[in-house]
Amino acid sequence: MGKMKDLLIELQETPIMTPCPDCFGEGTIEYDVPRPHAGGFNEGYIDTATEVCETCSGDGEMERLCDCGAPVTKIMGQDAEVCMECADENV
Ligand SMILES: [Zn+2]
Ligand SMILES: [Zn+2]
């Protein structure tokens, strides 16, 4: 019996992780760095650099958040987009 309850609590408290929309799960973002007329070249060129994604702190995934800002937890099902509290209000 105890195990069932533990599982339920775990589902209620574990946020669904979703791929980061900003870096598409990469954890880093590539951005262009224009280098006009650098180092004796006649034409400028576009360099690229990468930086750690601020949105997910480099994890590549983040907690799925409800519109209210609360995390959507696993108890709501893998495709859910609302938190427990908001789902309750809609009933
Ligand atoms: Zn990211
Ligand atoms: Zn909510």
Side-chain angles (χ1 to χ4, degrees), residues 65-72 81-87 89:
L65 295 181
C66 174
D67 284 344
C68 74
V72 180
E81 289 177 0
V82 295
C83 71
M84 274 204 318
E85 280 185 37
C86 291
E89 281 172 18

Side-chain angles (χ1 to χ4, degrees), residues 14-85:
T14 307
I16 296 172
M17 301 306 284
T18 194
C20 175
D22 282 358
C23 64
F24 305 101
E26 294 292 321
T28 53
I29 289 180
E30 208 170 80
Y31 60 99
D32 293 339
V33 184
R35 305 229 187 247
H37 306 282
F41 289 101
N42 287 329
E43 291 176 31
Y45 67 102
I46 304 290
D47 204 358
T48 57
T50 54
E51 65 178 2
V52 173
C53 176
E54 281 184 20
T55 308
C56 62
S57 304
D59 291 337
E61 58 180 12
M62 51 194 295
E63 295 176 4
R64 186 181 302 174
L65 295 181
C66 174
D67 284 344
C68 74
V72 180
T73 51
K74 289 188 175 175
I75 194 82
M76 301 305 295
Q78 200 56 239
D79 296 326
E81 289 177 0
V82 295
C83 71
M84 274 204 318
E85 280 185 37

